[in-house]
Amino acid sequence: MSAPERIPPRSVTPVDAAADAAAAELLARGELTVRGRIREASNAALLCTVALDGREASCVYKPVAGERPLWDFPDGTLAGREVAAYEVSEATGWGLVPPTVLRDGPYGEGMCQLWIDVTAEAELLALVDAEEPEPGWRAIGLADVGEGRTALLVHADDERLRRLAVLDAVINNADRKGGHLLPTAGGRLYGIDHGVTFNVEDKLRTLLWGWAGEPLTEEAVGVLKGLRGALGAGLGARLAALITAAEIDATRARVDALLASGRHPEPGGEWPAIPWPPV
């Protein structure tokens, strides 16, 4: 394994809030037509088109009826958690989750999320034969690559990923894999698959540990302060229709803990820190 291509510093693409709001309206009110099934998904995930007043877009529809039971999450709640993750993302102003709504569809109520076209760009994740990451990269940990060999798993030192690491800490994301990172041609980066989030117990599992224990950026601190206020107002009211009161309280507690420490969280010892498989 050779060293990955160095990621040059880049500015973060501004969020087009008006376009995102228009997409959410289209998803919520448009006519949903199933085009096929995304077979690699662990739960039922259908590729659809949604059309309204001459506008049309591709989207992913995950009906509640197609959710597989999980031992640590109540049945039938994953779709609501996906929408809750979008609501929190929108409240940050970072726009890290594609427009997502809860609506009725051909197979009953479910999550409907805008389809994101991914562009080929420099890698965000890599395995390298080294003890320390190259400049422009952050270490995640050692990975078994077979035949008794290990390699260092790294992710890009990218401000978009750093924002996503903060969001994941807030929503308690138990499954941030590499395949859930969607870079676009316009320079935005989205995270998807947020069904296993907002648990009241600490279940943070992610590949984005490169900033663990480091001070939060001033931007992140400002965003977290805004979230703390929003959770007691409009955001909290919107989340109440999607997750439980105890889960909202736990979210508020995680925000308070991040602000109190002023640092990115570090892996705990009671729960695997990295999802498997990592992609």
Side-chain angles (χ1 to χ4, degrees):
M1 286 169 285
S2 59
E5 178 185 349
R6 182 171 179 178
I7 304 291
R10 63 183 302 165
S11 59
V12 178
T13 302
V15 173
D16 188 339
D20 287 354
E25 180 191 30
L26 174 60
L27 293 171
R29 298 179 50 220
E31 181 180 356
L32 200 59
T33 303
V34 176
R35 301 299 184 187
R37 182 169 183 177
I38 303 171
R39 297 197 174 275
E40 59 267 27
S42 56
N43 295 291
L46 304 174
L47 179 61
C48 302
T49 55
V50 60
L52 177 70
D53 298 334
R55 294 180 294 152
E56 185 173 287
S58 297
C59 60
V60 177
Y61 162 54
K62 297 181 182 180
V64 171
E67 295 178 5
R68 295 180 181 179
L70 298 173
W71 68 269
D72 52 348
F73 286 84
D75 293 351
T77 66
L78 305 190
R81 296 173 194 279
E82 294 239 32
V83 181
Y86 169 69
E87 291 287 354
V88 174
S89 170
E90 287 299 284
T92 66
W94 287 336
L96 294 169
V97 178
T100 311
V101 302
L102 194 65
R103 59 162 292 169
D104 194 32
Y107 298 100
E109 185 178 62
M111 180 278 285
C112 191
Q113 185 174 80
L114 186 69
W115 177 267
I116 301 299
D117 289 319
V118 177
T119 186
E121 65 165 30
E123 295 174 289
L124 295 173
L125 297 164
L127 282 167
V128 296
D129 281 324
E131 294 183 358
E132 298 292 335
E134 294 286 333
W137 294 87
R138 293 276 180 157
I140 302 168
L142 293 174
D144 184 356
V145 294
E147 300 181 354
R149 298 173 58 239
T150 59
L152 184 65
L153 183 61
V154 297
H155 67 67
D157 191 359
D158 187 312
E159 186 59 31
R160 301 172 302 172
L161 291 179
R162 190 166 190 170
R163 287 176 167 183
L164 195 57
V166 174
L167 176 67
D168 283 343
V170 170
I171 66 176
N172 198 16
N173 191 352
D175 195 32
R176 174 61 72 208
K177 297 178 179 177
H180 300 167
L181 305 174
L182 306 184
T184 73
R188 287 183 69 174
L189 177 73
Y190 292 99
I192 60 169
D193 284 352
H194 297 108
V196 286
T197 51
F198 295 101
N199 202 297
V200 295
E201 299 180 8
D202 181 12
K203 291 185 178 290
L204 183 60
R205 290 198 307 171
T206 177
L207 289 177
L208 305 180
W209 288 115
W211 299 279
E214 292 191 9
L216 296 166
T217 64
E218 290 185 12
E219 178 197 45
V221 171
V223 164
L224 290 167
K225 288 179 178 177
L227 277 181
R228 182 164 59 186
L231 284 165
L235 175 60
R238 293 191 296 276
L239 292 181
L242 302 165
I243 58 177
T244 68
E247 289 165 342
I248 296 172
D249 288 343
T251 302
R252 188 179 295 108
R254 289 190 295 270
V255 171
D256 288 342
L258 286 166
L259 286 169
S261 72
R263 295 181 178 274
H264 286 268
E266 298 184 75
E270 298 182 0
W271 183 256
I274 297 175
W276 191 262
V279 295

